[in-house]
Amino acid sequence: MKKITIAIDGFSSTGKSTLAKQLAKQLGYVYVDTGAMYRAVTLYAMQNGFVSENHLDKENLVVDLPKVQLQFQFNPDLGFAEMYLNGNNVEAEIRTLDVSRLVSKVAEISEVRAKLVEQQQQMGKNKAIVMDGRDIGTVVFPDAELKIFMTASPETRAQRRYDELLEKGQAVSFADVLQNVKERDYIDTHRDDSPLVQAEDAVVVDNSSMSREEQFEVVLNIVKEKLV
Ligand code: DC
């Protein structure tokens, strides 16, 4: 069967990764969560004192970038690949609200983006890949056969993220999560390098009032049309 590239972009907490994982599993494709890569670089920057709430040492972070080794390793028990930073599994650490608060600052740095985009293009060179992020259909794979742009209201997205964090035992307030969602929307759509924009040829999926199953059904039908 024909192999294609599926690019999924959209605002934070729109369920991009859930959909991308479902599609990859169904099609036997590789799934790549590019947000995890930006989160892992952010964790590295935090651990080395390059970024905090009121400070960003861009220069030294950029100098250190060659030391940042990112790798995805498939975990058969979970059914998806986990993020490793310099050999350590950082899957749990990169999902905390602390990392979420700082990641947009790090993702604004062009040198960081250039390094990660190159790795992403390398991972997708043989197609049969589902990649999610903010610039996949516009920058990483502008020729992707299928581009999906996902959106939902900030409140719906904050509620989803809040429920996830509570489930993981993290003590957070809904107000903080909503504020973080709105701040990241602003920074992601206003940065100079590769801002989050809908590719002209993307299919828009607003899942504010769709269940995961309904959404999967809708998108799978679109995918099937592309595979014939
Ligand atoms: O998808 P996520 O929420 O885990 O992404 C974390 C952050 O990384 C998000 O605020 C913006 C940034 N990001 C990006 O700039 N480009 C991507 N391709 C993926 C994520």
Side-chain angles (χ1 to χ4, degrees), residues 8-14 16-17 31 33-39 42 94-95 99-108 113 116-117 120 131-136 140 161 180-181 183-185 187-188 191 193-196:
I8 304 184
D9 289 302
F11 292 99
S12 63
S13 304
T14 39
K16 295 187 297 293
S17 63
Y31 161 60
D33 169 4
T34 62
M37 299 170 77
Y38 287 93
R39 286 171 179 273
T42 304
I94 60 170
R95 309 287 167 192
V99 172
S100 298
R101 282 201 181 103
L102 300 173
V103 63
S104 291
K105 277 193 201 185
V106 173
E108 275 187 291
R113 302 203 69 83
L116 300 194
V117 166
Q120 291 154 8
M131 192 173 278
D132 79 32
R134 303 294 187 288
D135 59 345
I136 312 305
V140 183
R161 183 54 64 108
N180 175 252
V181 163
E183 276 171 12
R184 280 206 287 152
D185 283 0
I187 301 177
D188 291 348
R191 67 171 170 241
D193 189 347
S194 320
L196 170 64

Short mmCIF file of all heavy atoms in Angstrom, two decimals, residues 8-14 16-17 31 33-39 42 94-95 99-108 113 116-117 120 131-136 140 161 180-181 183-185 187-188 191 193-196, ligand 1:
data_model
loop_
_atom_site.label_atom_id
_atom_site.label_comp_id
_atom_site.label_asym_id
_atom_site.label_seq_id
_atom_site.Cartn_x
_atom_site.Cartn_y
_atom_site.Cartn_z
N ILE A 8 0.31 16.60 11.70
CA ILE A 8 -0.80 17.08 12.54
C ILE A 8 -0.30 18.28 13.35
O ILE A 8 0.63 18.16 14.15
CB ILE A 8 -1.29 15.97 13.49
CG1 ILE A 8 -1.70 14.74 12.68
CG2 ILE A 8 -2.46 16.46 14.36
CD1 ILE A 8 -2.30 13.60 13.48
N ASP A 9 -0.90 19.42 13.10
CA ASP A 9 -0.52 20.63 13.84
C ASP A 9 -1.74 21.17 14.58
O ASP A 9 -2.87 20.80 14.29
CB ASP A 9 -0.02 21.71 12.86
CG ASP A 9 1.33 21.34 12.27
OD1 ASP A 9 2.28 21.15 13.06
OD2 ASP A 9 1.45 21.23 11.04
N GLY A 10 -1.47 22.07 15.52
CA GLY A 10 -2.58 22.70 16.21
C GLY A 10 -2.16 23.24 17.55
O GLY A 10 -1.00 23.10 17.96
N PHE A 11 -3.12 23.85 18.24
CA PHE A 11 -2.87 24.46 19.54
C PHE A 11 -2.54 23.37 20.58
O PHE A 11 -2.77 22.19 20.34
CB PHE A 11 -4.11 25.24 19.97
CG PHE A 11 -4.36 26.44 19.11
CD1 PHE A 11 -5.29 26.41 18.09
CD2 PHE A 11 -3.64 27.61 19.31
CE1 PHE A 11 -5.51 27.52 17.29
CE2 PHE A 11 -3.84 28.72 18.51
CZ PHE A 11 -4.79 28.68 17.50
N SER A 12 -2.01 23.81 21.72
CA SER A 12 -1.65 22.84 22.76
C SER A 12 -2.91 22.20 23.33
O SER A 12 -3.98 22.82 23.38
CB SER A 12 -0.84 23.51 23.87
OG SER A 12 -1.60 24.49 24.49
N SER A 13 -2.76 20.97 23.76
CA SER A 13 -3.85 20.20 24.38
C SER A 13 -5.11 20.09 23.52
O SER A 13 -6.22 20.13 24.04
CB SER A 13 -4.23 20.80 25.74
OG SER A 13 -3.12 20.86 26.58
N THR A 14 -4.92 19.94 22.22
CA THR A 14 -6.08 19.69 21.36
C THR A 14 -6.23 18.18 21.12
O THR A 14 -7.09 17.78 20.34
CB THR A 14 -5.94 20.38 19.97
OG1 THR A 14 -4.59 20.27 19.55
CG2 THR A 14 -6.35 21.82 20.03
N LYS A 16 -3.77 16.27 19.88
CA LYS A 16 -3.01 15.89 18.68
C LYS A 16 -2.32 14.54 18.87
O LYS A 16 -2.35 13.71 18.01
CB LYS A 16 -1.92 16.93 18.38
CG LYS A 16 -2.41 18.30 18.02
CD LYS A 16 -1.26 19.20 17.59
CE LYS A 16 -0.24 19.46 18.68
NZ LYS A 16 -0.74 20.25 19.82
N SER A 17 -1.69 14.39 20.04
CA SER A 17 -0.89 13.18 20.22
C SER A 17 -1.79 11.95 20.35
O SER A 17 -1.43 10.88 19.85
CB SER A 17 0.05 13.31 21.41
OG SER A 17 -0.66 13.46 22.59
N TYR A 31 5.17 7.00 14.93
CA TYR A 31 4.60 8.24 15.49
C TYR A 31 5.72 9.07 16.13
O TYR A 31 6.50 8.54 16.91
CB TYR A 31 3.52 7.91 16.54
CG TYR A 31 3.23 9.07 17.45
CD1 TYR A 31 2.77 10.28 16.92
CD2 TYR A 31 3.44 8.99 18.83
CE1 TYR A 31 2.53 11.37 17.74
CE2 TYR A 31 3.18 10.08 19.65
CZ TYR A 31 2.74 11.25 19.10
OH TYR A 31 2.51 12.34 19.90
N ASP A 33 6.28 12.60 18.35
CA ASP A 33 5.72 13.71 19.11
C ASP A 33 6.80 14.80 19.20
O ASP A 33 7.71 14.71 20.01
CB ASP A 33 5.37 13.17 20.50
CG ASP A 33 5.01 14.24 21.51
OD1 ASP A 33 4.96 15.43 21.15
OD2 ASP A 33 4.79 13.88 22.69
N THR A 34 6.73 15.80 18.32
CA THR A 34 7.82 16.79 18.29
C THR A 34 7.77 17.72 19.50
O THR A 34 8.78 18.29 19.89
CB THR A 34 7.80 17.64 17.00
OG1 THR A 34 6.58 18.38 16.94
CG2 THR A 34 7.95 16.77 15.76
N GLY A 35 6.60 17.85 20.13
CA GLY A 35 6.50 18.65 21.36
C GLY A 35 7.41 18.06 22.43
O GLY A 35 8.04 18.79 23.21
N ALA A 36 7.52 16.72 22.45
CA ALA A 36 8.39 16.06 23.44
C ALA A 36 9.83 16.48 23.25
O ALA A 36 10.60 16.62 24.20
CB ALA A 36 8.26 14.54 23.32
N MET A 37 10.23 16.72 21.99
CA MET A 37 11.61 17.12 21.71
C MET A 37 11.86 18.54 22.24
O MET A 37 12.90 18.80 22.87
CB MET A 37 11.88 17.04 20.20
CG MET A 37 11.70 15.63 19.65
SD MET A 37 11.72 15.56 17.84
CE MET A 37 13.47 15.71 17.48
N TYR A 38 10.91 19.45 22.00
CA TYR A 38 11.08 20.82 22.54
C TYR A 38 11.04 20.80 24.07
O TYR A 38 11.76 21.56 24.73
CB TYR A 38 9.99 21.76 21.97
CG TYR A 38 10.26 22.08 20.52
CD1 TYR A 38 9.69 21.32 19.50
CD2 TYR A 38 11.14 23.10 20.16
CE1 TYR A 38 9.97 21.58 18.16
CE2 TYR A 38 11.44 23.36 18.82
CZ TYR A 38 10.84 22.60 17.83
OH TYR A 38 11.14 22.86 16.52
N ARG A 39 10.22 19.92 24.61
CA ARG A 39 10.15 19.80 26.08
C ARG A 39 11.47 19.27 26.65
O ARG A 39 11.94 19.72 27.69
CB ARG A 39 8.99 18.87 26.47
CG ARG A 39 7.62 19.48 26.29
CD ARG A 39 6.50 18.48 26.48
NE ARG A 39 5.22 19.13 26.32
CZ ARG A 39 4.55 19.75 27.29
NH1 ARG A 39 5.04 19.75 28.52
NH2 ARG A 39 3.40 20.35 27.06
N THR A 42 14.02 21.88 26.73
CA THR A 42 13.67 22.80 27.83
C THR A 42 14.12 22.23 29.16
O THR A 42 14.68 22.94 30.01
CB THR A 42 12.14 23.06 27.84
OG1 THR A 42 11.76 23.54 26.55
CG2 THR A 42 11.75 24.05 28.93
N ILE A 94 9.21 15.67 31.44
CA ILE A 94 8.90 16.68 30.42
C ILE A 94 7.42 17.05 30.37
O ILE A 94 7.05 18.01 29.71
CB ILE A 94 9.38 16.27 28.99
CG1 ILE A 94 8.71 14.96 28.54
CG2 ILE A 94 10.89 16.18 28.94
CD1 ILE A 94 8.95 14.64 27.06
N ARG A 95 6.58 16.29 31.09
CA ARG A 95 5.13 16.56 31.05
C ARG A 95 4.66 17.42 32.21
O ARG A 95 3.47 17.63 32.39
CB ARG A 95 4.32 15.25 31.05
CG ARG A 95 4.76 14.23 30.02
CD ARG A 95 4.37 14.61 28.63
NE ARG A 95 5.05 13.77 27.64
CZ ARG A 95 5.05 14.02 26.35
NH1 ARG A 95 4.44 15.07 25.86
NH2 ARG A 95 5.69 13.23 25.52
N VAL A 99 7.73 22.48 33.13
CA VAL A 99 8.28 22.45 31.76
C VAL A 99 7.32 23.17 30.81
O VAL A 99 7.74 23.97 29.97
CB VAL A 99 8.58 21.00 31.30
CG1 VAL A 99 8.96 20.96 29.83
CG2 VAL A 99 9.69 20.39 32.15
N SER A 100 6.02 22.92 30.97
CA SER A 100 5.03 23.57 30.09
C SER A 100 5.14 25.10 30.16
O SER A 100 4.94 25.78 29.18
CB SER A 100 3.60 23.17 30.47
OG SER A 100 3.43 21.79 30.32
N ARG A 101 5.46 25.60 31.35
CA ARG A 101 5.55 27.06 31.54
C ARG A 101 6.72 27.67 30.77
O ARG A 101 6.68 28.82 30.39
CB ARG A 101 5.74 27.38 33.02
CG ARG A 101 4.46 27.29 33.81
CD ARG A 101 4.60 28.11 35.10
NE ARG A 101 3.38 27.99 35.86
CZ ARG A 101 3.23 27.22 36.93
NH1 ARG A 101 4.24 26.50 37.38
NH2 ARG A 101 2.08 27.18 37.56
N LEU A 102 7.79 26.89 30.59
CA LEU A 102 9.02 27.45 30.01
C LEU A 102 9.27 27.04 28.56
O LEU A 102 10.08 27.66 27.87
CB LEU A 102 10.24 27.04 30.86
CG LEU A 102 10.18 27.53 32.33
CD1 LEU A 102 11.33 26.92 33.13
CD2 LEU A 102 10.26 29.06 32.39
N VAL A 103 8.54 26.04 28.11
CA VAL A 103 8.88 25.46 26.80
C VAL A 103 8.71 26.44 25.64
O VAL A 103 9.52 26.43 24.70
CB VAL A 103 8.11 24.14 26.56
CG1 VAL A 103 6.61 24.32 26.50
CG2 VAL A 103 8.57 23.45 25.27
N SER A 104 7.73 27.31 25.69
CA SER A 104 7.53 28.23 24.56
C SER A 104 8.73 29.16 24.38
O SER A 104 9.08 29.52 23.26
CB SER A 104 6.26 29.06 24.73
OG SER A 104 5.14 28.23 24.61
N LYS A 105 9.36 29.55 25.51
CA LYS A 105 10.54 30.42 25.44
C LYS A 105 11.67 29.73 24.69
O LYS A 105 12.36 30.34 23.87
CB LYS A 105 11.09 30.68 26.87
CG LYS A 105 10.41 31.77 27.63
CD LYS A 105 11.29 32.08 28.85
CE LYS A 105 10.46 32.75 29.91
NZ LYS A 105 11.28 33.18 31.06
N VAL A 106 11.87 28.46 24.99
CA VAL A 106 12.96 27.71 24.37
C VAL A 106 12.62 27.43 22.89
O VAL A 106 13.49 27.48 22.02
CB VAL A 106 13.23 26.41 25.16
CG1 VAL A 106 14.23 25.51 24.44
CG2 VAL A 106 13.73 26.76 26.57
N ALA A 107 11.33 27.18 22.63
CA ALA A 107 10.91 26.85 21.27
C ALA A 107 10.97 28.06 20.34
O ALA A 107 10.85 27.93 19.13
CB ALA A 107 9.50 26.27 21.28
N GLU A 108 11.18 29.25 20.92
CA GLU A 108 11.31 30.46 20.09
C GLU A 108 12.71 30.60 19.49
O GLU A 108 12.92 31.40 18.59
CB GLU A 108 11.09 31.70 20.97
CG GLU A 108 9.64 32.08 21.14
CD GLU A 108 9.52 33.41 21.87
OE1 GLU A 108 9.84 33.47 23.08
OE2 GLU A 108 9.15 34.39 21.23
N ARG A 113 15.22 25.31 16.97
CA ARG A 113 14.27 24.84 15.96
C ARG A 113 15.01 24.18 14.80
O ARG A 113 14.61 23.13 14.31
CB ARG A 113 13.39 25.98 15.43
CG ARG A 113 12.59 26.72 16.49
CD ARG A 113 11.38 27.41 15.92
NE ARG A 113 10.39 26.45 15.49
CZ ARG A 113 9.50 25.87 16.29
NH1 ARG A 113 9.43 26.18 17.57
NH2 ARG A 113 8.67 24.98 15.81
N LEU A 116 16.14 20.67 15.74
CA LEU A 116 15.06 19.69 15.87
C LEU A 116 14.39 19.41 14.53
O LEU A 116 14.06 18.26 14.22
CB LEU A 116 14.04 20.15 16.92
CG LEU A 116 14.60 20.35 18.34
CD1 LEU A 116 13.46 20.47 19.35
CD2 LEU A 116 15.51 19.20 18.76
N VAL A 117 14.23 20.44 13.71
CA VAL A 117 13.59 20.25 12.40
C VAL A 117 14.44 19.28 11.56
O VAL A 117 13.91 18.38 10.90
CB VAL A 117 13.38 21.61 11.68
CG1 VAL A 117 13.04 21.39 10.20
CG2 VAL A 117 12.28 22.41 12.36
N GLN A 120 13.82 15.82 12.70
CA GLN A 120 12.46 15.39 12.34
C GLN A 120 12.39 15.01 10.86
O GLN A 120 11.78 14.00 10.50
CB GLN A 120 11.47 16.51 12.67
CG GLN A 120 11.32 16.73 14.17
CD GLN A 120 10.90 18.14 14.55
OE1 GLN A 120 10.57 18.96 13.70
NE2 GLN A 120 10.92 18.44 15.84
N MET A 131 3.43 12.68 12.36
CA MET A 131 4.20 13.58 13.23
C MET A 131 3.29 14.71 13.70
O MET A 131 2.55 15.26 12.90
CB MET A 131 5.39 14.14 12.45
CG MET A 131 6.40 14.84 13.31
SD MET A 131 7.90 15.31 12.38
CE MET A 131 8.85 13.82 12.35
N ASP A 132 3.35 15.01 15.00
CA ASP A 132 2.52 16.12 15.46
C ASP A 132 3.37 17.23 16.06
O ASP A 132 4.48 16.99 16.55
CB ASP A 132 1.40 15.65 16.39
CG ASP A 132 1.82 15.37 17.81
OD1 ASP A 132 2.74 16.02 18.32
OD2 ASP A 132 1.19 14.50 18.45
N GLY A 133 2.86 18.46 15.96
CA GLY A 133 3.59 19.62 16.47
C GLY A 133 2.89 20.91 16.15
O GLY A 133 1.65 21.01 16.24
N ARG A 134 3.68 21.92 15.77
CA ARG A 134 3.11 23.24 15.45
C ARG A 134 3.47 23.68 14.02
O ARG A 134 2.80 24.51 13.44
CB ARG A 134 3.68 24.31 16.40
CG ARG A 134 3.47 24.07 17.87
CD ARG A 134 2.01 24.14 18.23
NE ARG A 134 1.78 24.08 19.67
CZ ARG A 134 1.94 22.99 20.43
NH1 ARG A 134 2.33 21.87 19.89
NH2 ARG A 134 1.70 23.04 21.73
N ASP A 135 4.56 23.11 13.50
CA ASP A 135 5.09 23.57 12.21
C ASP A 135 5.34 22.40 11.27
O ASP A 135 6.15 22.49 10.36
CB ASP A 135 6.42 24.31 12.44
CG ASP A 135 7.47 23.43 13.13
OD1 ASP A 135 7.08 22.38 13.68
OD2 ASP A 135 8.66 23.77 13.12
N ILE A 136 4.66 21.29 11.50
CA ILE A 136 4.97 20.09 10.71
C ILE A 136 4.50 20.26 9.26
O ILE A 136 5.25 20.00 8.33
CB ILE A 136 4.36 18.81 11.36
CG1 ILE A 136 4.68 18.76 12.86
CG2 ILE A 136 4.85 17.56 10.64
CD1 ILE A 136 6.14 18.85 13.21
N VAL A 140 8.36 21.53 8.50
CA VAL A 140 9.08 20.24 8.51
C VAL A 140 8.75 19.43 7.25
O VAL A 140 9.64 18.99 6.53
CB VAL A 140 8.76 19.43 9.79
CG1 VAL A 140 9.56 18.13 9.82
CG2 VAL A 140 9.07 20.26 11.04
N ARG A 161 -6.18 19.06 29.94
CA ARG A 161 -4.83 19.05 30.50
C ARG A 161 -4.88 18.94 32.03
O ARG A 161 -4.12 18.22 32.65
CB ARG A 161 -4.10 20.32 30.05
CG ARG A 161 -2.65 20.55 30.42
CD ARG A 161 -1.66 19.47 30.08
NE ARG A 161 -1.43 19.14 28.68
CZ ARG A 161 -0.34 19.43 28.00
NH1 ARG A 161 0.62 20.08 28.56
NH2 ARG A 161 -0.20 19.03 26.77
N ASN A 180 -1.86 28.94 31.44
CA ASN A 180 -0.73 28.39 30.68
C ASN A 180 -1.14 28.08 29.24
O ASN A 180 -0.39 28.37 28.29
CB ASN A 180 -0.20 27.13 31.38
CG ASN A 180 0.89 26.44 30.57
OD1 ASN A 180 0.68 25.38 30.00
ND2 ASN A 180 2.05 27.06 30.46
N VAL A 181 -2.34 27.54 29.06
CA VAL A 181 -2.83 27.23 27.71
C VAL A 181 -2.91 28.52 26.89
O VAL A 181 -2.44 28.60 25.75
CB VAL A 181 -4.22 26.53 27.78
CG1 VAL A 181 -4.93 26.57 26.44
CG2 VAL A 181 -4.06 25.08 28.24
N GLU A 183 -1.39 31.44 27.43
CA GLU A 183 -0.07 32.05 27.22
C GLU A 183 0.68 31.34 26.09
O GLU A 183 1.30 31.96 25.24
CB GLU A 183 0.78 31.96 28.49
CG GLU A 183 0.48 33.10 29.44
CD GLU A 183 1.16 32.91 30.80
OE1 GLU A 183 2.03 32.02 30.95
OE2 GLU A 183 0.78 33.65 31.71
N ARG A 184 0.59 30.00 26.11
CA ARG A 184 1.30 29.24 25.08
C ARG A 184 0.67 29.49 23.71
O ARG A 184 1.39 29.59 22.71
CB ARG A 184 1.33 27.75 25.42
CG ARG A 184 2.42 27.47 26.42
CD ARG A 184 2.91 26.07 26.34
NE ARG A 184 1.91 25.16 26.88
CZ ARG A 184 1.79 23.90 26.48
NH1 ARG A 184 2.56 23.43 25.54
NH2 ARG A 184 0.91 23.12 27.03
N ASP A 185 -0.65 29.62 23.65
CA ASP A 185 -1.31 29.94 22.37
C ASP A 185 -0.73 31.24 21.83
O ASP A 185 -0.40 31.34 20.65
CB ASP A 185 -2.82 30.19 22.56
CG ASP A 185 -3.61 28.91 22.75
OD1 ASP A 185 -3.00 27.83 22.72
OD2 ASP A 185 -4.84 29.01 22.93
N ILE A 187 2.17 32.83 22.58
CA ILE A 187 3.59 32.77 22.18
C ILE A 187 3.74 31.92 20.91
O ILE A 187 4.46 32.29 19.98
CB ILE A 187 4.49 32.23 23.31
CG1 ILE A 187 4.37 33.11 24.56
CG2 ILE A 187 5.95 32.17 22.87
CD1 ILE A 187 5.16 32.61 25.76
N ASP A 188 3.06 30.78 20.88
CA ASP A 188 3.20 29.87 19.72
C ASP A 188 2.75 30.54 18.42
O ASP A 188 3.31 30.27 17.35
CB ASP A 188 2.39 28.58 19.93
CG ASP A 188 2.96 27.68 21.02
OD1 ASP A 188 4.10 27.92 21.46
OD2 ASP A 188 2.26 26.74 21.43
N ARG A 191 5.45 34.00 17.63
CA ARG A 191 6.93 34.00 17.54
C ARG A 191 7.35 34.28 16.09
O ARG A 191 6.59 34.01 15.15
CB ARG A 191 7.52 32.69 18.08
CG ARG A 191 7.19 31.50 17.25
CD ARG A 191 7.97 30.26 17.69
NE ARG A 191 7.39 29.14 16.98
CZ ARG A 191 6.83 28.09 17.55
NH1 ARG A 191 6.78 27.98 18.85
NH2 ARG A 191 6.31 27.13 16.81
N ASP A 193 10.03 32.93 14.40
CA ASP A 193 10.44 31.74 13.63
C ASP A 193 9.34 30.67 13.70
O ASP A 193 8.99 30.19 14.77
CB ASP A 193 11.75 31.20 14.22
CG ASP A 193 12.36 30.10 13.36
OD1 ASP A 193 11.67 29.59 12.46
OD2 ASP A 193 13.52 29.74 13.61
N SER A 194 8.81 30.30 12.55
CA SER A 194 7.83 29.22 12.43
C SER A 194 6.65 29.32 13.41
O SER A 194 6.40 28.40 14.17
CB SER A 194 8.51 27.85 12.64
OG SER A 194 9.75 27.79 12.02
N PRO A 195 5.93 30.45 13.39
CA PRO A 195 4.77 30.54 14.28
C PRO A 195 3.71 29.50 13.90
O PRO A 195 3.71 29.01 12.76
CB PRO A 195 4.24 31.95 14.03
CG PRO A 195 4.72 32.32 12.69
CD PRO A 195 6.04 31.62 12.51
N LEU A 196 2.88 29.17 14.86
CA LEU A 196 1.80 28.22 14.59
C LEU A 196 0.79 28.87 13.66
O LEU A 196 0.13 29.85 14.05
CB LEU A 196 1.12 27.81 15.90
CG LEU A 196 -0.18 27.02 15.79
CD1 LEU A 196 0.07 25.66 15.12
CD2 LEU A 196 -0.80 26.81 17.15
O1 DC B 1 2.71 19.68 21.83
P1 DC B 1 3.25 20.16 23.19
O2 DC B 1 2.27 20.96 23.98
O3 DC B 1 3.86 19.06 23.97
O4 DC B 1 4.43 21.16 22.78
C1 DC B 1 5.20 21.81 23.73
C2 DC B 1 5.66 23.16 23.22
O5 DC B 1 6.64 22.98 22.20
C3 DC B 1 4.59 24.07 22.64
O6 DC B 1 4.22 25.09 23.55
C4 DC B 1 5.25 24.70 21.44
C5 DC B 1 6.47 23.91 21.17
N1 DC B 1 6.45 23.20 19.89
C6 DC B 1 6.89 23.88 18.78
O7 DC B 1 7.20 25.05 18.86
N2 DC B 1 6.98 23.21 17.59
C7 DC B 1 6.63 21.93 17.48
N3 DC B 1 6.73 21.31 16.31
C8 DC B 1 6.15 21.23 18.62
C9 DC B 1 6.06 21.89 19.82
#
